[in-house]
């Protein structure tokens, strides 16, 4: 009997290895077919360097954004100043995926240091969208994690890691027709992620289905002592207990004809901005109708300070970026450019020349704006009011969600009595479909692309974008967001909202 069990186990292992080898072969065939056009993966591991591994994600391939440490491939952050930099350590998220059996196939293209929403400021050249297929026009994949989204859409990898500071995972997901998830702040360790705005950055996940996102999230969502902003084990336990206290939500998801019965979905009126296209409005209405047919209660809600989040976000993000990027001076980090004879005697000019030649125009623009915001005169007029707006936005989310914010309360149960409170909110991911790459040189236009996404980062709440229809061959996405720590309800609702669930 023992011999029979051993043979069965060996046969299963051989079958799994053959399946894994075929998946890897398909991955590199997709890379060879699409990457020359999309420029999604600037650095790729050769197939001969990929070794089989056992684990729950065995046979999976993944890519990591170029600002996530993944040696021996360089961590360029899409910038000339780090073009030859290789990290001496591995990011926690990358290490966890590899320990689970997934194999990294390359690093993905991005806007320089994550500063952009079109993936066109990279030192590796712009990334492009797979959609529309069979078209000579190359559209933007979104940014700044555009390379990750394009690689997933073209099946160059099964999942990809990105970073989300103000929508950098969700906007590319919407424009490329894939799922993009930004977990609650601190759910996934940021150790190994090059910081843009430390209080806003989150490591996100992109995949073609919410099931793959959930499986990946279950691996990378864990405490990490090397990241002081990562959730502790005790905090995760409290959040789980709070989430389990929602007795009004149906748990019978397999047999119920309305698997989301009892779930209350809010529709915030403040996201009905003037820039919202008719196609995005139609997708929003159809998404609400679909959730209603699945048993959800659709409830109008109001978040009065949402219109102020975009300017407040850019004020705070650029202030933090100015500080975080100070280390790239050619001495501590970054490529050092040799000064001319006239500047060798002046230390300030040495730094200035290195940073002027190492950074692109958009990064320099944001550093200058962030430095101004933190100046003595502008601090009280811009930075402090933006912090107040951030706090007001967090309080407004706490007011509409039935689940208490575990950071602000000692309650052990969700609020079931107030029928005006909701479990999650639904709104568009982007105001329109992806533009043709290179058609917009106005930085303000690129900033406006984040108007639908920055509020989740300001409040630190989880949000996911799922594909929901096409307009003229280009994908559109809808967002689901929920209370801080309530990542499970976001993934559960998104699973039924995405087209594959039908």
């Amino acid at each position: 009997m023992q011999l029979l069990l051993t043979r069965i186990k060996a046969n299963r292992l051989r079958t799994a290895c053959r399946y894994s080898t075929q998946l890897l072969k398909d991955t590199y065939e997709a890379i060879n077919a699409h990457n020359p056009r999309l420029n999604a993966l600037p650095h790729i591991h050769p197939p001969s360097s990929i070794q089989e591994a056992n684990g729950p994600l065995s046979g999976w391939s993944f890519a990591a954004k170029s600002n996530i440490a993944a040696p021996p491939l360089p961590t360029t952050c899409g910038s000339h100043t780090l073009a030859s930099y290789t990290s001496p350590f591995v990011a926690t998220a990358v290490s966890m995926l590899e320990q689970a059996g997934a194999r990294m196939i390359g690093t993905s293209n991005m806007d320089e240091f994550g500063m952009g929403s079109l993936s066109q400021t990279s030192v590796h050249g712009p990334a492009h969208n797979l959609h529309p297929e069979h078209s000579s026009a190359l559209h933007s994949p979104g940014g700044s994690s555009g390379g990750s989204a394009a690689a997933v859409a073209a099946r160059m990898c099964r999942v990809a890691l990105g970073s989300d500071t103000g929508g950098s995972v969700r906007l590319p997901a919407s424009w490329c027709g894939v799922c993009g998830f930004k977990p609650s702040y601190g759910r996934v360790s940021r150790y190994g992620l090059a910081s843009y705005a430390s209080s806003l950055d989150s490591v996100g996940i992109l995949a073609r289905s919410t099931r793959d996102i959930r499986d990946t999230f279950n691996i990378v969502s864990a405490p990490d002592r090397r990241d002081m902003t990562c959730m502790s084990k005790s905090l995760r336990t409290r959040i789980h207990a709070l989430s389990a206290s929602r007795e009004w939500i149906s748990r019978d998801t397999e047999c119920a004809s309305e698997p989301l019965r009892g779930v209350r979905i809010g529709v915030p009126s403040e996201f009905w901005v003037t820039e919202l296209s008719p196609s995005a409005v139609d997708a929003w209405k159809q998404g609400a109708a679909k959730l209603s047919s699945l048993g959800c209660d659709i409830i109008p809600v109001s978040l009065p300070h949402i219109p102020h989040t975009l300017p407040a976000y850019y004020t705070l993000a650029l202030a933090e970026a100015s500080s975080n990027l100070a280390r790239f001076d050619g001495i501590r980090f970054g490529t050092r450019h040799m000064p001319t004879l006239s500047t060798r005697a002046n230390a300030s000019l040495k730094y200035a020349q290195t940073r002027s030649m190492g950074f692109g125009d958009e990064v320099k623009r944001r550093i200058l704006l962030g430095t101004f915001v933190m100046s003595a005169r502008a601090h009280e007029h811009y930075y402090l009011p933006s912090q107040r707006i951030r706090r007001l936005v967090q309080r407004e989310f706490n007011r509409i969600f039935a689940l208490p914010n575990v950071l602000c309360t000692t309650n052990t149960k969700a609020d079931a009595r107030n029928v005006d409170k909701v479990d999650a909110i639904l709104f568009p991911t982007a105001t329109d479909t992806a533009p043709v790459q290179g058609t917009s040189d106005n930085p303000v236009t690129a900033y406006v692309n984040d108007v639908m996404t920055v509020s989740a980062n300001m409040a630190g709440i989880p949000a996911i974008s799922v594909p929901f229809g096409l307009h003229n061959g280009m994908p559109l996405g809808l967002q689901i967001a929920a209370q801080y720590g309530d990542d499970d309800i976001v993934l559960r609702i998104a699973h039924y909202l995405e087209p594959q669930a039908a």
Side-chain angles (χ1 to χ4, degrees):
M1 186 65 178
Q2 186 64 35
L3 179 61
L4 178 61
L5 292 175
T6 303
R7 288 179 177 176
I8 291 174
K9 185 176 181 180
N11 288 335
R12 287 178 177 174
L13 184 60
R14 282 193 294 269
T15 301
C17 288
R18 286 195 296 268
Y19 180 64
S20 177
T21 302
Q22 183 59 44
L23 290 176
L24 193 62
K25 181 180 178 182
D26 295 342
T27 294
Y28 278 95
E29 286 179 353
I31 291 174
N32 294 332
H34 296 293
N35 200 48
R37 176 175 178 264
L38 303 184
N39 193 28
L41 302 176
H43 297 100
I44 303 170
H45 281 299
S48 58
S49 67
I50 306 295
Q51 299 180 351
E52 297 294 336
N54 295 324
L57 303 185
S58 179
W60 287 38
S61 59
F62 75 96
K65 192 175 177 180
S66 291
N67 61 348
I68 299 175
L73 297 181
T75 307
T76 67
C77 295
S79 178
H80 176 67
T81 196
L82 291 176
S84 58
Y85 174 73
T86 300
S87 172
F89 56 86
V90 183
T92 297
V94 172
S95 177
M96 286 181 169
L97 288 178
E98 290 181 334
Q99 291 173 13
R103 283 295 164 255
M104 181 174 164
I105 48 91
T107 56
S108 59
N109 209 348
M110 59 177 287
D111 282 300
E112 186 179 9
F113 283 103
M115 299 182 183
S117 57
L118 298 171
S119 290
Q120 63 181 14
T121 65
S122 171
V123 69
H124 307 296
H128 299 114
N129 200 329
L130 179 67
H131 302 279
E133 297 188 59
H134 315 299
S135 172
S136 58
L138 295 173
H139 287 69
S140 170
S144 60
S145 305
S148 294
V152 170
R155 298 181 181 271
M156 289 189 273
C157 55
R158 183 159 180 173
V159 296
L161 296 177
S163 63
D164 195 307
T165 308
S168 297
V169 163
R170 290 161 288 151
L171 179 65
S174 175
W175 283 0
C176 291
V178 298
C179 299
F181 178 49
K182 183 205 87 71
S184 298
Y185 183 79
R187 271 284 192 183
V188 180
S189 171
R190 293 190 301 113
Y191 181 77
L193 171 68
S195 297
Y196 166 14
S198 303
S199 70
L200 300 166
D201 292 338
S202 293
V203 174
I205 307 167
L206 298 106
R208 290 185 295 277
S209 70
T210 56
R211 186 181 298 275
D212 284 352
I213 284 184
R214 178 180 286 277
D215 290 343
T216 306
F217 177 64
N218 289 340
I219 296 295
V220 300
S221 176
D224 183 10
R225 289 183 296 177
R226 294 173 296 183
D227 176 14
M228 62 182 296
T229 64
C230 193
M231 284 186 187
S232 64
K233 184 177 180 180
S234 60
L235 180 59
R236 294 169 192 263
T237 302
R238 288 171 56 199
I239 290 173
H240 178 75
L242 263 179
S243 181
S245 70
R246 276 186 299 223
E247 300 174 353
W248 66 89
I249 296 180
S250 172
R251 304 294 175 182
D252 189 4
T253 60
E254 296 182 356
C255 302
S257 59
E258 296 179 335
L260 296 179
R261 178 180 297 172
V263 177
R264 299 188 289 234
I265 301 293
V267 178
S269 57
E270 286 77 13
F271 284 103
W272 198 297
V273 295
T274 56
E275 295 86 359
L276 205 60
S277 66
S279 56
V281 173
D282 291 341
W284 193 6
K285 292 178 179 178
Q286 293 170 16
K290 180 175 180 179
L291 290 178
S292 178
S293 69
L294 293 170
C296 293
D297 298 321
I298 308 299
I299 302 171
V301 295
S302 178
L303 299 164
H305 285 88
I306 287 297
H308 305 293
T309 54
L310 189 63
Y313 161 80
Y314 272 104
T315 300
L316 299 176
L318 301 192
E320 294 188 33
S322 174
S323 175
N324 281 328
L325 269 64
R327 71 194 70 174
F328 301 106
D329 53 13
I331 296 177
R332 289 170 291 180
F333 294 96
T335 301
R336 185 175 185 180
H337 294 276
M338 295 304 297
T340 61
L341 289 175
S342 60
T343 61
R344 285 181 180 176
N346 190 317
S348 297
L349 291 179
K350 292 179 183 179
Y351 292 133
Q353 185 170 2
T354 292
R355 289 166 67 82
S356 296
M357 298 181 68
F359 293 141
D361 290 341
E362 181 60 28
V363 174
K364 287 186 282 190
R365 180 184 297 113
R366 298 195 186 198
I367 289 176
L368 289 172
L369 289 171
T371 304
F372 168 75
V373 165
M374 293 303 292
S375 64
R377 187 168 59 177
H379 184 268
E380 291 185 4
H381 295 292
Y382 299 102
Y383 185 79
L384 292 182
S386 297
Q387 288 285 26
R388 295 189 189 104
I389 290 173
R390 183 177 190 176
R391 180 62 63 188
L392 289 171
V393 170
Q394 291 172 337
R395 289 175 180 173
E396 287 173 359
F397 279 120
N398 292 341
R399 174 178 54 81
I400 68 168
F401 287 132
L403 194 74
N405 189 329
V406 71
L407 297 178
C408 307
T409 183
T410 57
N411 291 349
T412 58
K413 288 189 177 182
D415 188 353
R417 294 171 294 178
N418 194 333
V419 294
D420 293 327
K421 292 199 172 187
V422 298
D423 300 296
I425 55 175
L426 173 73
F427 53 105
T429 309
T431 57
D432 206 347
T433 56
V436 175
Q437 187 69 288
T439 57
S440 176
D441 295 325
N442 185 353
V444 177
T445 303
Y447 297 167
V448 173
N449 288 330
D450 297 330
V451 67
M452 309 300 288
T453 54
V454 296
S455 58
N457 298 85
M458 293 282 278
I461 62 176
I464 188 171
S465 175
V466 296
F468 201 84
L470 298 171
H471 178 67
N472 294 331
M474 298 300 296
L476 285 163
L478 291 178
Q479 275 188 101
I480 296 288
Q483 179 60 283
Y484 172 79
D486 205 8
D487 302 66
D488 288 339
I489 196 71
V490 168
L491 293 172
R492 181 183 173 193
I493 296 171
H495 171 68
Y496 289 101
L497 183 63
E498 65 178 331
Q500 293 87 337

